[in-house]
Amino acid sequence: MPDAAAEPGTAAARDAAEEKSALSHPAVEPDSTAGYGDHPDQVIDFYLPRGGAGPGEAAPVVVVLHGGSWRAPYDRRHISPFAGFLARRGFAVASVEYRRGAKGPGAEGAGGDPVAGRWPDTFDDVAAALDALPELVRQHLPRADARRVVLTGHSAGGHLALWAAARHLLPADAPWLTDRPAPLRGVVALAPIADFEVADRLGVCGGAARQLLGDGELFAERRPYADPALLLPTGIATTLVQGRADVDVPQAVAEAYADAAAKAGEVVGVTLLEDVGHYPLIDPAADACAVVAEEIAQLAW
């Protein structure tokens, strides 16, 4: 495998090609959409299972949290082909939208990119969506087994998936704290921004983690409420899927989370894929996407 650090042009070219492939698929329209709040971004798309489950057999539910550095231009439509892919694999799918960085003039960060996320709105929404999900699943996914739920997310969505599974470990004054672990079969986090200290040091996604929490003292003050690497052990089966050639969220971020879990007495699975970057994990045309589906199936079925 080429050394991405030694050959930045080659790595950047491959990353661009993988991104183009992942984003080239037409959006897959959901079977239904429901709100979990009053804001236009507080919605969940539902995809009925297309196969896999036997006649009369209820399908597991996969909850999808999209990535995009928590920034406004990236919404759930870019991950809808992945949601449709999972539905064709026999899963019932709930794809969650949430509020991201502000839009409009003055909404750019220092590097010119849109600001990443909203504090605390992004976290308010993910918590509210997961709390509303059992009832919404009953209404919109009649063939689903709400007792078999796997949470997955890509990149910034991988962070949110890990965070949502750890709400019972939040500080006592956190508004999103729950009194028990989420009823999940597991979490499959795809190239997640899983350790904010390492992500910040590496400048992941243009410093998105620091934009999400706030600069200066705010970053340190809010990390215990937002950083999955500080919210361990969860007691929930967790697997990270990571491309070794990922230049957007490098392998070191996933490894830092796995190391933090081990120090907390928890084993987190890490599936490393050779010659795979950031985007094939959600690209239905890529072999890596089938690997992701198998990792989800191992926890769900």
Side-chain angles (χ1 to χ4, degrees), residues 139-161:
Q139 295 174 16
H140 294 272
L141 295 173
R143 289 180 54 200
D145 184 351
R147 299 167 300 176
R148 290 187 290 162
V149 178
V150 174
L151 195 53
T152 192
H154 177 240
S155 194
H159 156 263
L160 293 172

Side-chain angles (χ1 to χ4, degrees), residues 232-251:
L232 291 162
T234 67
I236 295 171
T238 300
T239 297
L240 313 183
V241 183
Q242 176 74 42
R244 286 189 180 272
D246 193 330
V247 297
D248 295 279
V249 184
Q251 179 179 330

Side-chain angles (χ1 to χ4, degrees), residues 61 63 130 133 146-151 161 164-166 181-187 235-237 299:
V61 179
V63 182
L130 270 293
L133 195 65
R147 299 167 300 176
R148 290 187 290 162
V149 178
V150 174
L151 195 53
L184 299 170
R185 282 290 183 93
V187 178
I236 295 171
L299 294 176

Side-chain angles (χ1 to χ4, degrees), residues 25 30 40 63 69 81 100 126 139 157 176 198-199 204 211 213 220 242 246 257:
H25 306 285
V63 182
S69 308
R100 303 166 311 286
V126 173
Q139 295 174 16
W176 316 292
V198 175
V204 167
Q211 289 181 18
L213 300 192
Q242 176 74 42
D246 193 330
Y257 178 84

